[in-house]
Amino acid sequence: QVQLVESGGGLVQAGGSLRLSCAASGRTFCSYGMGWFRQAPGKEREFVAAISRSGGSLSFPDSVKGRFTISRDNAKNTVYLQMNSLKPEDTAVYYCAATRLFVAGSPREYDYWGQGTQVTVSS
């Protein structure tokens, strides 16, 4: 069992940056691939970033590639999402999730989810 708690969301102007954190409970954090997803009102949950257990493999969709990066600190049981050059269309609730797979891009491939943190980008 893994419990995930996101933090770091907030209101930022377009072009600004935010860093989200996701703290995981348990001693098996390094056994899970981790991912970030987002969901805007009326839209499906969207893949944002994924990182493998060791942090050696990363995956991003084209919509955030070059602007967002994901990292993890297994000693602190924490995964991060650094978001730069934010756009109004990045506004959503951001969720972190854990998967037993190596790296995964579909919400259905993830086993545990956090409660989400709101990110709002003003124009």
Side-chain angles (χ1 to χ4, degrees):
Q1 191 84 2
V2 177
Q3 292 184 324
L4 304 171
V5 179
E6 302 95 335
S7 61
L11 174 65
V12 64
Q13 288 189 333
S17 298
L18 276 178
R19 187 196 197 200
L20 305 183
S21 299
C22 174
S25 65
R27 293 175 291 179
T28 59
F29 176 70
C30 60
S31 300
Y32 291 88
M34 298 298 296
W36 285 94
F37 291 78
R38 65 187 180 188
Q39 189 165 20
K43 295 188 176 181
E44 293 186 352
R45 194 161 293 193
E46 176 189 14
F47 170 64
V48 174
I51 188 168
S52 61
R53 300 179 189 97
S54 67
S57 292
L58 310 178
S59 179
F60 304 94
D62 289 342
S63 58
V64 306
K65 197 171 291 184
R67 299 190 298 123
F68 291 12
T69 190
I70 185 172
S71 60
R72 66 189 295 163
D73 186 337
N74 286 343
K76 295 182 178 179
N77 281 12
T78 302
V79 61
Y80 305 97
L81 182 69
Q82 178 67 43
M83 305 184 293
N84 300 325
S85 302
L86 282 161
K87 305 175 181 180
E89 51 263 44
D90 294 319
T91 295
V93 177
Y94 282 70
Y95 300 89
C96 75
T99 178
R100 293 181 177 90
L101 300 176
F102 180 66
V103 172
S106 169
R108 292 173 291 182
E109 296 173 306
Y110 284 79
D111 305 290
Y112 302 102
W113 292 84
Q115 83 290 348
T117 185
Q118 176 70 46
V119 171
T120 302
V121 184
S122 63
S123 57

